[in-house]
Amino acid sequence: MRYRILTLWMALWGFVLVSIAGDIPTVSPSVTFTASDGETSTDDSFSGSAPVKASFSANPTDAEGWTAYYEWRIYHDNEESPYIIRYIENTDMEFNQSGLHRIVLYAKFTKGTEVYEDTNEESPFTVTIAESSLQMPNAFSPNGDGLNDIYKAKSGYQSLVEFHAYIFNRWGQKLFEWNDPAGGWDGTYKGKPVKEGVYFVLVKAKGADGKVYNIKRDVNLLRGYTETTNQN
């Protein structure tokens, strides 16, 4: 808690310091991060795959009767100038660009001729977005054994801001499409299982780091393949 100190000039007695009961307005900024998988964190620093959502709050104290001014300044990597400034007490953001993001709150409170400033510049919030990654498998076995029944992106994909995938048969007929890397194809068309054989996948995606993915490959649908068959 901070207190105002009034300095009075007395012609005969010199300087006199008088403590006045009254708190200086301050901020205690906080953040809640939400990862791409829905997990949340209130730590000052966060690392994860894009997109990362964040809710920032200034949390002013002792500000009643004061005129408040806020700036949320967001910097990328080692840039000296912020690429975004928000002029509100609380703000929500989504981080998609890979690299390090620093978030600094600057606050100013005025009342008449009195002005007080506060900031978290010495200990800013940070968000680190990982570089993108995406791989697609060349086979799956939709036989109901609970293993590899869905054709989808390999585990470990990250920081994808765009994703579109399409399945075609050998005659070029589109059988299925999906727009979420967590989704995939179950080996059916119009609700019925397709025949075992070779199909074709086309994936167009974009990473938070600007990397463009244009994946084209064969997909082997193997209904007779089981974990037991593999072991033998």
Side-chain angles (χ1 to χ4, degrees):
M1 184 177 293
R2 309 181 203 176
Y3 295 92
R4 287 175 281 168
I5 303 296
L6 177 64
T7 302
L8 300 177
W9 171 256
M10 306 294 291
L12 296 177
W13 301 101
F15 286 103
V16 178
L17 296 180
V18 181
S19 177
I20 296 181
D23 299 334
I24 292 176
T26 60
V27 290
S28 300
S30 62
V31 61
T32 298
F33 292 110
T34 303
S36 56
D37 61 2
E39 293 293 322
T40 61
S41 171
T42 56
D43 292 341
D44 289 351
S45 296
F46 186 87
S47 298
S49 171
V52 172
K53 297 180 180 179
S55 296
F56 298 99
S57 300
N59 302 314
T61 56
D62 302 314
E64 186 176 354
W66 294 79
T67 299
Y69 171 85
Y70 301 98
E71 284 188 14
W72 291 96
R73 302 169 180 172
I74 296 88
Y75 302 82
H76 184 248
D77 287 338
N78 295 320
E79 295 177 359
E80 296 182 359
S81 299
Y83 69 91
I84 293 178
I85 301 179
R86 298 278 180 84
Y87 300 93
I88 50 180
E89 179 179 332
N90 305 315
T91 187
D92 296 331
M93 286 198 63
E94 183 173 286
F95 297 91
N96 289 307
Q97 185 179 8
S98 64
L100 174 67
H101 303 259
R102 292 176 291 115
I103 302 91
V104 174
L105 172 62
Y106 165 77
K108 180 170 70 174
F109 301 91
T110 59
K111 181 194 292 185
T113 58
E114 292 186 86
V115 178
Y116 294 100
E117 299 178 344
D118 202 5
T119 180
N120 69 331
E121 189 171 11
E122 295 299 320
S123 54
F125 299 120
T126 60
V127 184
T128 303
I129 303 298
E131 294 183 354
S132 65
S133 177
L134 175 64
Q135 292 182 314
M136 302 298 295
N138 64 356
F140 75 123
S141 55
N143 51 24
D145 65 355
L147 299 171
N148 205 24
D149 285 333
I150 303 296
Y151 181 80
K152 58 184 179 180
K154 290 185 178 181
S155 61
Y157 67 84
Q158 62 181 17
S159 291
L160 300 175
V161 295
E162 294 180 17
F163 180 90
H164 307 281
Y166 310 86
I167 297 291
F168 300 91
N169 61 19
R170 60 180 177 174
W171 295 284
Q173 180 185 15
K174 185 175 70 174
L175 305 181
F176 189 74
E177 65 179 278
W178 69 104
N179 297 321
D180 183 348
W185 182 42
D186 63 357
T188 64
Y189 177 62
K190 293 184 177 181
K192 296 181 179 181
V194 300
K195 295 181 179 180
E196 184 174 86
V198 179
Y199 294 83
F200 184 78
V201 65
L202 169 64
V203 180
K204 295 182 178 293
K206 184 177 180 180
D209 48 5
K211 185 175 180 179
V212 175
Y213 295 86
N214 190 17
I215 301 173
K216 303 175 183 179
R217 69 178 311 166
D218 292 340
V219 177
N220 293 283
L221 191 156
L222 308 171
R223 294 195 183 279
Y225 181 92
T226 64
E227 188 68 21
T228 302
T229 302
N230 184 44
Q231 291 175 350
N232 292 335

